[in-house]
Amino acid sequence: MTAHDSKSLIVIGGGAAGFFCAVNAARMGARVTLLEKTGKLLSKVRVSGGGRCNVTHQLFEVSEFSRRYPRGQNFLKKTLHHFDAAATIRWFEERGVDLKAEADGRMFPVTDSSETVIACLLREAARYGVEIRMNAEVKSLLHVESGFRLELADGRPLEADAVCVAAGGYPKAAQFAWLQALGHSIAEPLPSLFTFNLPKHPITELMGVSTTARVKIEGSKLSEEGPVLITHWGLSGPAVLRLSAWGARELAQGQYNFRVHVHWAPQHTEADLKAAITDARRQHPQKKVHNQNLAELPARLWQFLLRQSGIGEEQRFADLPAKAENALIRHISDSVFEVKGKTTFKEEFVTAGGIQLSEIDANTMMSRKVPGLYFAGEVMDVDGITGGFNFQHAWTSGWIAAKAIAGT
């Protein structure tokens, strides 16, 4: 195929999904222009994982991988067969970016720097002649006989045979109007990854303390176990963020006012804790309770729970009242918090909602409404929990769209 008769593609969005579609389509022979409405490329790639970029997750069973998506599971079961985590690892390794897995399965570049991933994608774009236009916001997109006609915010017109929309998640439904004008319907956008606010609760004085805990949302089946981080505004960490993803729509309906139950030492049952205190009474009756961290908790959290249970610093096991003992067991195994609102986890901001998946062909990423229109990434009604799953959806959908557009 010559440059003259190769297919022209405009990719809308300079994030992970848009870039991956652009560089792969160009490599496969398409003439590609990538439009980014801001002055920055690959912004989420740069900040994700604390600046390290959580590229994907070391989970290679498609059925298991797809279960990490609160919305889009069945869609991902189809798309991951085309391009899964193993394919992502190979793609980057073939271009000099080796990845490593951490104990929890998250995968990062061995350099521990997102700039390694960004540099790789920019090299690919330069190598295959992707034209990148910054500060190029699309105001209208029309499907015409010859393909597509776009108008940018500055009035410039553009035309292409195919368009891939990889514009990311929009926080407001009104921002999807230009896609609804083409006949697409939208699942209402809502925040998916957010932390739980506990205004004026004394536990916020422990900001910075992290431990493995089990968190349940009262009145639902939602429960997660994993690292929980206490912040100056409430509760965060992977377990809380996963809960926020699974409960995104349910919690929004209640305007983010709900109760959570936290078991600070999920490896210990209430009976275990009772037995540990009984043993301590018998074997170390003169020892101070404050000095015996029976639940193996971070020291500041242990001291806090003792204070909440009415146990003073001089309290010895020999004369520990039954009421205080029961209160301590309850506070360790079932601390209850009134959540009043949320705080968006800005680095990993993800939106639930977007283009309805029934309107997209999972095997090509092409619109079922408009031939030649493709989608990639978060603009679709797909979102994953933390751990590299949202980036994997970006790589997968971008690659499938590129292959379908280039016709390889």
Side-chain angles (χ1 to χ4, degrees):
M1 184 181 285
T2 65
H4 180 71
D5 61 10
S6 62
K7 188 174 287 187
S8 60
L9 165 66
I10 288 176
V11 177
I12 302 173
F19 245 87
F20 212 65
C21 176
V23 299
N24 281 293
R27 180 174 58 84
M28 295 174 195
R31 289 180 289 116
V32 182
T33 300
L34 184 145
L35 307 177
E36 168 53 44
K37 70 177 180 180
T38 72
K40 296 179 180 178
L41 296 170
L42 298 162
S43 298
K44 276 192 184 177
V45 173
R46 179 165 279 109
V47 300
S48 84
R52 295 193 298 148
C53 187
N54 184 184
V55 175
T56 187
H57 198 283
Q58 192 185 37
L59 190 58
F60 303 122
E61 282 287 329
V62 166
S63 59
E64 276 300 307
F65 205 104
S66 64
R67 288 196 185 105
R68 271 61 179 181
Y69 295 83
R71 282 148 291 275
Q73 288 190 23
N74 291 332
F75 194 78
L76 268 292
K77 282 180 185 175
K78 298 172 184 174
T79 63
L80 287 168
H81 282 292
H82 294 275
F83 195 89
D84 61 4
T88 297
I89 295 165
R90 282 194 304 273
W91 193 95
F92 280 103
E93 284 181 345
E94 287 168 1
R95 289 156 182 82
V97 180
D98 290 332
L99 304 181
K100 62 175 180 178
E102 302 204 335
D104 59 5
R106 292 180 303 157
M107 298 197 72
F108 296 88
V110 296
T111 59
D112 277 328
S113 173
S114 59
E115 296 302 327
T116 307
V117 176
I118 291 170
C120 171
L121 292 170
L122 290 173
R123 278 196 309 271
E124 288 291 292
R127 181 180 180 184
Y128 294 107
V130 175
E131 180 187 357
I132 298 172
R133 296 194 187 184
M134 311 288 285
N135 301 301
E137 183 177 1
V138 176
K139 276 300 178 189
S140 68
L141 174 61
L142 294 174
H143 186 223
V144 295
E145 190 175 342
S146 59
F148 293 89
R149 185 173 298 133
L150 296 81
E151 184 180 337
L152 303 184
D154 63 6
R156 280 182 297 170
L158 292 172
E159 292 190 351
D161 299 318
V163 169
C164 180
V165 178
Y170 291 123
K172 296 179 181 177
Q175 293 171 284
F176 287 93
W178 61 292
L179 295 172
Q180 289 174 302
L182 291 167
H184 276 285
S185 50
I186 307 298
E188 182 189 359
L190 294 167
S192 175
L193 297 178
F194 51 85
T195 59
F196 298 167
N197 290 357
L198 307 175
K200 298 183 180 177
H201 195 286
I203 198 168
T204 58
E205 295 168 10
L206 304 183
M207 58 181 289
V209 170
S210 179
T211 189
T212 296
R214 183 183 306 127
V215 187
K216 293 183 178 181
I217 294 177
E218 186 172 293
S220 78
K221 295 180 179 178
L222 297 168
S223 175
E224 285 287 337
E225 185 173 318
V228 171
L229 173 67
I230 300 169
T231 71
H232 66 276
W233 64 83
L235 300 176
S236 185
V240 169
L241 294 171
R242 288 199 296 269
L243 266 184
S244 75
W246 289 110
R249 296 207 174 277
E250 190 175 328
L251 299 179
Q253 287 172 0
Q255 297 183 314
Y256 305 104
N257 294 317
F258 54 96
R259 295 175 66 166
V260 293
H261 295 249
V262 180
H263 191 328
W264 294 109
Q267 72 276 26
H268 298 299
T269 64
E270 288 188 31
D272 292 337
L273 295 168
K274 178 84 172 172
I277 294 174
T278 301
D279 286 347
R281 274 186 196 280
R282 187 173 60 249
Q283 296 177 27
H284 312 290
Q286 297 308 311
K287 286 192 174 180
K288 295 176 181 177
V289 181
H290 267 251
N291 297 335
Q292 303 297 310
N293 193 335
L294 301 177
E296 301 148 357
L297 296 172
R300 290 170 63 202
L301 178 58
W302 172 248
Q303 304 293 333
F304 173 82
L305 294 175
L306 289 172
R307 290 195 300 273
Q308 292 290 102
S309 306
I311 299 173
E313 290 186 17
E314 300 303 315
Q315 182 77 65
R316 301 178 190 277
F317 281 105
D319 51 5
L320 179 65
K323 182 179 179 181
E325 176 185 320
N326 292 335
L328 177 59
I329 292 170
R330 186 177 69 253
H331 280 114
I332 294 170
S333 60
D334 190 23
S335 286
V336 183
F337 300 96
E338 295 278 350
V339 177
K340 299 288 184 184
K342 60 171 176 38
T343 297
T344 301
F345 194 58
K346 291 181 174 58
E347 283 192 1
E348 304 277 3
F349 180 72
V350 170
T351 304
I355 302 293
Q356 295 279 6
L357 298 181
S358 60
E359 299 174 358
I360 302 168
D361 183 341
N363 295 307
T364 62
M365 293 297 127
M366 190 169 80
S367 163
R368 296 186 189 276
K369 303 274 187 179
V370 184
L373 178 64
Y374 298 79
F375 296 100
E378 202 186 332
V379 71
M380 297 184 271
D381 186 20
V382 172
D383 62 284
I385 61 174
T386 56
F389 299 100
N390 288 299
F391 273 137
Q392 184 57 54
H393 167 58
W395 314 132
T396 296
S397 54
W399 188 87
I400 293 172
K403 190 169 187 293
I405 292 162
T408 59

